[in-house]
Structure formats: structure tokens, C-alpha cells
Amino acid sequence: MRRSRGAAAALALSLAGTVAGVGLGLAPQAAAITPPVAFTADPLSTWQPNGVVWALAEAGGQVFAGGTFSTLRPPAGGSGSERSAVNFAALDAATGAPTSCELSFTVASGSATVRALALSPDKATLYVGGYFGAVNGTPVSSLAAVDVASCTVKQGFRPAFAATVRALAVTGDTVYAGGDFLSVAGQPRGRFAAVGAADGALKPFTADADEPGRAVEVTPDGDHVVLGGDFFTVNGTNTHALAVVDATSGALTKSYAGFIETNSVVKDIATDATGFYTANEGTGGGVFDGRIALNLGDYGQRWRDTCLGATQAVLPYQSVLYSASHAHDCSSVGEFPDGQRHHLLAQPTTGTGKLGWAPDTNDGIGEGIGPRVMTVGSKGGVQYLWVGGEFTTVNGAAQQSLTRFASTGDTGAPTVPVVSAVSVKPGEVQVRWRTSLDLDDSALTYRIYRNGAATPLATVTADSLFFKRPQASWTDTTAVAGQAYTYRVTATDAAGNTSALSATASVTVPTTVEGYPNQVRADGAQQYWRYDESALPFAADTSAGGNQSGTHLGAPALRQTPGAVSGASTAIGFNGTDTQVYGDTRQTVGSTYTIETWFRTDTTRGGKLVGFGNNQARGSNQYDKHIYMTNDGRLVYGVYTGATRTITTPGAYNDNQWHHVVATQGPGGMTLYVDGAQKGTLAVTTHENFSGYWHAGGDSLGGWPDRPTSEYWSGRLDETAVYPTVLSAAQVQNHYTLATAPADSVVQVTAAEDTYANAGAPATTYGTSGSLAVRGTSFYASYLRFDLPAAPAGTVLKSAALSVKTSTQSGAGTTDTVSVVPVTGSWSEGGTTYNNRPALGGPALGTFSGVPDGSAVHTTALTTAHVAAALGTGYGLALTSTGTDALWLWSSEAQANEGTPQLTLTFGAP
């Protein structure tokens, strides 16, 4: 049996970047899904009932489903027609189609239902519990025995249960039942009873409960029975919702008074060789809705998972506990906050940390619970996890009440990574992406491609979960100053399923260090949101290794200009109603920290700029360490210590100008700075200690002084950073000064005209062909014209680079050197031929020293002085070669050109 490898590997982000040349490959994958998960998250074609499935069991490659329904129909797009199935169905474990076993569970009056299924240890007999009076016309009373081989009711097994049977457990000679009944065969039995497995005769076992029984499980040694339900007493002794009794007498051996909240019940119990597990459901406030693991030796608690969201079923399998619930808040165990419901989860049997398996259903019909029961079936060497309930969709597709997942055949590819790139100093590009979602693989492999190349430049492995998709990043240290680059990323799971390429992330490497962002990184920011992204929902972290990215909520306005910092960086705009950015990863804040951001607004409704809260997409109910603005434009920095403690500026800052605000807390207390100057201090060194997420642009403010009309920020933010240290006054002043220092600016100019000449067709023009060509013999030459801008005031041209992209045809690259030379004669795109081609000048302004095959962008630096002399004019360049190996490029008319041919011009202070 495959054993759990533990939760740590599935929960911790692991990055391992490798830079290599051509032929970079991935290490062989040992499994199709991330261990210890045993099943894919890809639902298989399965026939579906028209009602609720309450019970499942498996024997000999058949899966039995019981519930409240009247028909079975094929899955969407499947063959076959609807057929009668009265509260019971038998299906092939491998195909999901009905077998020949057909049984109808009916009652003379009222609505019949099947609520429990259990098999004898040899799987020869299926015991069925519920509320019914006959099976295929044979009289029974809410509990029946079915011969599995013949699919017939056993006539000699007819115990009389006076009300609904909701739970069953079977040993070699005994059937244990729990439910609503108060008598069996005319004898008093309060909600739990035992009958003979062969004849149904009532046994002395007495474990009377005061409220319904919902779960029964026999310990592996057969000596005890674990009971679960709504009850508060068993045999007169206080023990709420859970009890352990003697398997023969029913005498209480372990009670649990006060162990489970009084407004919570036990809906299911399952055992493995190490312990037993409970599924719990609560109603009202202060409930316990999660799962408990208890040891077999002393029946004491091993762990308790306090996620909220009515757990209906638990199933331990190969050291993983699978659960059916509608979990919506797992913040109490350090996982996802209150919000979206998640109906199927997995965690190691050793703890509460969730694993990377999360297919999903909806709440469905009936009570709106979703999935209610699970079992594992096997056929042909493949295991199938079957799930039943009242859902009507699985992974967003229509499917009612039954679905299944196999141990093989993972076909679901990860989602496409969302990528951005940044460079703040020469020779280095940070490529960042939000890790992808794969519902059965938490460990994914990412390939990074540069300039459209077919071979990845690097490989990174990173872990992600459906509720924790942190940033992964890789630094390209081979990037050349002054040159432009594009990056794309794919995600691959262990089965080899690969996402599509991400959208292109473009960046130009500066020729000098960008003062402000470089200093923020150097001063130790562990989260740095620059807001330069052009697409939702990923807010990248530019810190040096923090990988604390954010998620856009409500579609804030991206790439707002001008930004707060000189240069090409942009800001983000919030509408003051429902837009914000929240952190992707739950964290805690230590006793020392600094919050920094730039802001610009003219609002008179106030709002929160930056703060820490315990929720993400919903308003937090714990929140402090925040900076907010009052209606009249004053800034407030506050923490919560059991009472609100704040510093408020005397002046207003809602003048629609950029301002810099920094808030620090540490051993010296709290300090607030605005525009580099200290505005107040407070001798408070503590704050509320909880785990949560940083928010920019909004979150809760209830109970805080001078609470503004709006908790959401209306205005712009830029350069939001969080540090695990206290920035000094000198550091704060330095940041403020650096923000206004002159910075390099980058201008990218695409070709206004381009064409080529061909000696083999001396009178032909190629201005609209979509291609460019270069060769010495026989002759091809390409001609490019760029309309160059003038240098911005107070700057000079610091570098220039030309980028071209090879075409996709075979042999598009060249082994020869291609030179970039000035064009001295006149020409036009529509009129140039080999016969009238323009004259060329010299010397070469740049060279491509061989270009490999494969469609990719290639860049060469050009002589800066020559380009600078042509600023503000039309500038002609030619690509020439003396060799015999042709180079084929995309022209500006081609759809796949990625903006090439292109000049990248960097301007800066003289």
C-alpha cells in the first residue's frame, strides 16, 4: 500500500531554477499525480440519478448507490436512455454504466429512501438501510440483506426497524445500525442496535442514545464500536455526538462530554489501521464543522481540523483522508479564509494541511450540501473514487449526484501562468509569474522561454494549491544592458500535461541602476508591489526573493500614468467602491515592520490605503497595522492592542498630488512619515497578532477613529512595499529623494517601412510580403526605416538596440554574420527592387553573429553616437551578409512579428 510522504512537500513553495542552453530537459516524472494523492481530479463519464445519493458501497467491480431518486440517465453526451432506478442503482466501477442488478426500495406510504450501505467482510452480502417497506416487492422493514452474486433479497434476514436506519457497520456475525428508531423487532433500542448478520435476530447490544444516530464504525480489532450522531447521552451518560462502546454489550467505554460543540453533530465515521476519523456538521455560530482524527489505542484526539463548512463524509485511503463538505473557511488552520465553498478536499491522515487535490461540485438540490458520501471501487487494476450527494455540477460541467475519479489517466493541464518581467539594473531581469492551478498536482514544472525561442532558457519547479498560488520567479543574469527581451512561461504537471504559453512579458534592461526600486530592494523589502502589470489579476512582487505577490480584486485600473517615481513605472487606480489588491499568501507580521506607499487622490470620502487583515476577497473581521485617510484628507496610522492606537497627521493630503507615506513599528514604538518628514510618534510596541494578508486599496475599518465614509480607496497608489524591519528616518528621506531623481526612460520604435531586395527576381518588390531576407550569394538585403523621436528634454541617448525575429520556416536561421549598416540612398517600401536598391554606408553599426533556427527574437546593440545623430528624423538601416546561408525574418506586416523590426532607445541624464 502506498504510504503518505507527508504534507510538507505539498505545502511549501520550492523553487529550483536551472539555466542551460539548447536541449534543456525535465527530469523524468515518477507519478502521474503529486503523491500522496491517489486519484486524478478529472471526473469520468458516469450515469446519474435524478435525486440525492446518500450511500455508496463497492464489491467485485460494482458500485452500489442508494438514495432518494427514481431514475438513472446517461451522462451528458453519453449513449443510452433513462431507466427506472427506485432509490438504488448498481454501476460498473470502470465504466460508470448500470449493471444488470436492479432493485427497487419502496414504502406503502410516504417517501422511501436508502440511507446506508455496508458489505459483509467477504463482500458476498450487501446490507441496505433506510426507510422502506419492500425490496422488489419482498416485505422488509428499513433494513435488508442482498445477495451480491444474484442481486436478490435474502428472505431469511428480516429484522423489523421501526424508523429510518441511517448508518451501518458489519462484522462476520453482526450488523450494527444507527438511525432514528426507538425499537427493533418490538424490543426497545434507542437509535443504535445490533442484529445477526445471517438471520437478522436482535442481539443484546444496547447503546441507547437520546437523539438520532448517524454513524457507526467497528474498530479494526472488532472489540469496540464507535458511534456518531446528534445525541447528548448514551446509556444515560453524558457524551455528545461521539461515543465508544463495547461491541458485544453496548456498554460505554469512552465518553466525549464537552468534546464536540453542542450545536454540532457527527455525520460520518471511518477507520484505518491507525485511528478513526469523524465528519462533523454544525448549525449556528461557534460551530465545529470539520474533521477529527482519534487514536485507536486510547481513543484520544490526534488532530482536529477546524475548517468551517459542514463535513458530510470522510474516507481514509493510502494515508490520505478524503472528505466531502462545503468548506468555506479554513483560516483557523492557516489556510483559505472565509469565501468560496470547496466541496472535495484531501489531507494527510497525520494532520490538517490540505493536499493538492481539489475537484469541486456545486451545492446542488435538496439541502444545498453538495457531496455526501464516498467509496473506492476497483476494477482491472484501476482504483476509482466514487462520490455521491446532491450536486448538479462537477468541475463546472453538468453531472448530478454521482461522479468518480480514477487512479490513472490524469488529463487535466495546469492553468496558463500569468507572467511579468522587470529589470532595475543592468544585466538582470526578474521574471515572475503567479503559479498555476492544477486540481490534482501541487508540484508543477515551469519552463521559461526568452525572445520566442523554441528551447526553454530555464526550468523552475514550484508548489501551489487551489487556495495558495504564490509567485514563482527566476532571474535572468545573461540579459544585456540596453536590450529588450520578451519572456513566456508554460506549466507542466507530473503526467506531462502542459499549459499553453503565457502571454508575452516584455522588458528593456536599463543601462544604469534605477535608483528608487533598487534601493527599496536593497533596504530589505519582503513585499514590493510596483503595479506595472498590463493584465489582471496578478500583482507581481519585485522584492529580492520575497515572492509575496498580490491578486487584483474588482478590476482596478492598471498602468496609470504618471507614476509616483520618475521613469517608466506606472501606478494603479482604485474606484473607492470595490477594487483592491490582496496578498496571495497568508503570513504573520512580526514585532518590527515598515509599510510604505505612494498615493494620489482628491477624494473627500477617505479610504484605506494599505493594511493587514485576516481575509482576502471579503472584508476582514481582524484588521490593523494600516494607513487610512479621513474624509478631510488627513492620514491615520493605527494598530490594535485591545484598543485602537493611532497617529494622525494635522494636515490634509487629498490635493491630487503624489505623496509618500511610511509607517513603522518596532522597539522604539510607532512612527509616521509623510513626504520624507516625521509627522508623529507613539510609544506603542505591540499590535494584534494574527495571520492574514496585506491589502492595498481597501479593507475593513469598523470601530476605528475618524472612520471615513468609504473603507475603499478612491485614487492611485504606487510602489507599495512592506519590510520586516524598521526603516530609519534617513532611509525614509532617501527613498523620498530618489523617487524624484532623473531616471532613464525607454522608447520602443517599430519599423515604419521595411522590405528586401532579391537578385533572383531583380524587378520584384517585397514590401508587403510579411518576410525579410538576408544573404550574400545569391544576394538578399533587407531595408528598414524608423521614425526616430527627439530626445526628451534634459536627456541624451544612452543606448540603442535593434531587434528582429526569425520566421517559422525551416532553416530560417543562419550560420553567417549579418551586419547592420546605414542606408545612404533613397528608397521606399513599395518601390524598392534589386535593380533600384539604395546605396549603403559604413562601418557596421552592429552585428548578429549567427542566428539559430527556430522562430525567436534576436537583438544587437547599435553604435549609440550614430543613432543619436539621427534623432528626430527618418532613419534607414540595412541588414547585409557576405555568406551563402540565408536569414529569414518576419517583417512589420507579419502577424507573428512581436513588434519587430524594432529599435529600443534608452534616454537618460547627460
Side-chain angles (χ1 to χ4, degrees), residues 496-539:
N497 301 305
T498 300
S499 74
L501 280 164
S502 71
T504 299
S506 302
V507 66
T508 299
V509 183
T511 56
T512 58
V513 172
E514 294 186 4
Y516 185 90
N518 188 67
Q519 195 62 51
V520 170
R521 288 161 55 95
D523 284 343
Q526 65 179 7
Q527 177 175 302
Y528 183 19
W529 297 342
R530 300 201 72 196
Y531 309 120
D532 291 338
E533 294 75 32
S534 57
L536 302 168
F538 175 56

Side-chain angles (χ1 to χ4, degrees), residues 439-532:
L439 294 178
D440 47 31
D441 288 278
S442 55
L444 299 175
T445 300
Y446 299 88
R447 293 181 176 94
I448 300 100
Y449 299 85
R450 187 173 75 178
N451 287 348
T455 302
L457 185 65
T459 312
V460 171
T461 60
D463 284 1
S464 56
L465 296 168
F466 66 94
F467 62 89
K468 186 167 65 173
R469 295 171 59 189
Q471 174 176 294
S473 61
W474 172 78
T475 300
D476 182 358
T477 57
T478 65
V480 177
Q483 295 194 13
Y485 295 91
T486 62
Y487 298 88
R488 302 180 81 179
V489 179
T490 62
T492 302
D493 68 14
N497 301 305
T498 300
S499 74
L501 280 164
S502 71
T504 299
S506 302
V507 66
T508 299
V509 183
T511 56
T512 58
V513 172
E514 294 186 4
Y516 185 90
N518 188 67
Q519 195 62 51
V520 170
R521 288 161 55 95
D523 284 343
Q526 65 179 7
Q527 177 175 302
Y528 183 19
W529 297 342
R530 300 201 72 196
Y531 309 120
D532 291 338

Side-chain angles (χ1 to χ4, degrees), residues 752-773:
E753 290 188 286
D754 54 12
T755 189
Y756 73 98
N758 175 6
T764 303
T765 60
Y766 296 92
T768 59
S769 69
S771 296
L772 300 172

